[in-house]
Amino acid sequence: MTEKVVAALGGNAILQSGQEGTFEEQMENVKSTAMQIVRMLEAGYEVVVTHGNGPQVGAILIQNEAGSNLVPPMPMDVCGAESQGMIGYMLCQALKNCMLGKKLKGWEPCCVP
């Protein structure tokens, strides 16, 4: 039986203290994590990835407020879903890119909300 590992990324691991919050900064942080996840897969672990999104939701809410005179702002639950989609996208892209050239049998990315 394969051992399972849960990799839980807090929103502050994705957007770290002192960073502006650009996509590039967050993607670089996610790539670092993806490399570690691939190492766990190579070691034979089954990996489940979960993440937080606090700072990302906060940024989206600020963007909503700043643009509210141009477009209607979205409610908080929709902003949460938006950030989850963004982070899920970054995780899947980073994992896929880190997996290029690797030969891991039975590995399939599965992104579940």
Side-chain angles (χ1 to χ4, degrees), residues 33-100:
T33 300
M35 288 189 286
Q36 298 303 318
I37 292 169
V38 169
R39 287 184 182 156
M40 288 185 265
L41 292 168
E42 289 176 317
Y45 293 99
E46 183 177 335
V47 182
V48 176
V49 181
T50 185
H51 64 82
N53 62 341
Q56 292 77 16
V57 173
I60 292 168
L61 289 168
I62 292 168
Q63 291 168 342
N64 268 335
E65 182 62 31
S68 65
N69 61 336
L70 300 173
V71 295
M74 295 291 126
M76 186 174 214
D77 60 329
V78 173
C79 295
E82 183 180 342
S83 68
Q84 290 172 17
M86 176 186 71
I87 294 167
Y89 169 80
M90 289 191 292
L91 283 166
C92 287
Q93 289 297 111
L95 284 168
K96 180 180 174 186
N97 290 336
C98 288
M99 294 294 294
L100 290 175

Side-chain angles (χ1 to χ4, degrees), residues 3-50:
E3 283 191 65
K4 292 181 181 155
V5 174
V6 176
L9 284 80
N12 289 313
I14 299 165
L15 174 55
Q16 297 177 8
S17 178
Q19 293 183 327
E20 292 180 19
T22 65
F23 176 81
E24 292 77 17
E25 287 173 336
Q26 293 182 76
M27 191 64 184
E28 192 59 39
N29 295 335
V30 169
K31 283 180 189 176
S32 296
T33 300
M35 288 189 286
Q36 298 303 318
I37 292 169
V38 169
R39 287 184 182 156
M40 288 185 265
L41 292 168
E42 289 176 317
Y45 293 99
E46 183 177 335
V47 182
V48 176
V49 181
T50 185

